[in-house]
């Protein structure tokens, strides 16, 4: 299975778009412009509106 198959998009309620890798507690969000995947959003919140991103609070 290639890493490409795990790539998803998530759109926040504020219309900020992220690219998402993995699932469940291993889910990681990156900015769309972060093509090198160098800076995951570790806080689990949208940097625009501060809403919690799904997948982080369950654990
Ligand atoms: Zn947002």
């Amino acid at each position: 299975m290639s890493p490409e198959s795990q790539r998803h998009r998530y759109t926040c309620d504020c219309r900020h778009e992220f690219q998402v890798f993995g699932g469940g507690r291993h889910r990681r969000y990156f900015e769309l412009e972060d093509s090198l995947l160098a800076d995951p959003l570790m806080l689990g919140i949208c940097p625009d509106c501060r809403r919690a991103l799904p997948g982080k609070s369950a654990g």
Side-chain angles (χ1 to χ4, degrees):
M1 189 183 287
S2 77
E4 283 292 320
S5 66
Q6 294 187 24
R7 186 182 301 212
H8 302 289
R9 290 288 177 90
Y10 172 73
T11 305
C12 183
D13 286 349
C14 71
R15 307 185 75 87
H16 194 119
E17 260 196 298
F18 305 91
Q19 47 188 339
V20 187
F21 291 86
R25 299 181 62 177
H26 301 289
R27 189 175 300 171
R28 288 179 298 162
Y29 292 84
F30 298 86
E31 301 283 2
L32 292 186
E33 58 266 32
D34 187 3
S35 57
L36 296 178
L37 305 180
D39 188 22
L41 298 168
M42 299 302 290
L43 294 178
I45 59 173
C46 174
D48 273 357
C49 67
R50 305 289 175 177
R51 282 185 179 88
L53 299 169
K56 188 75 174 180
S57 60

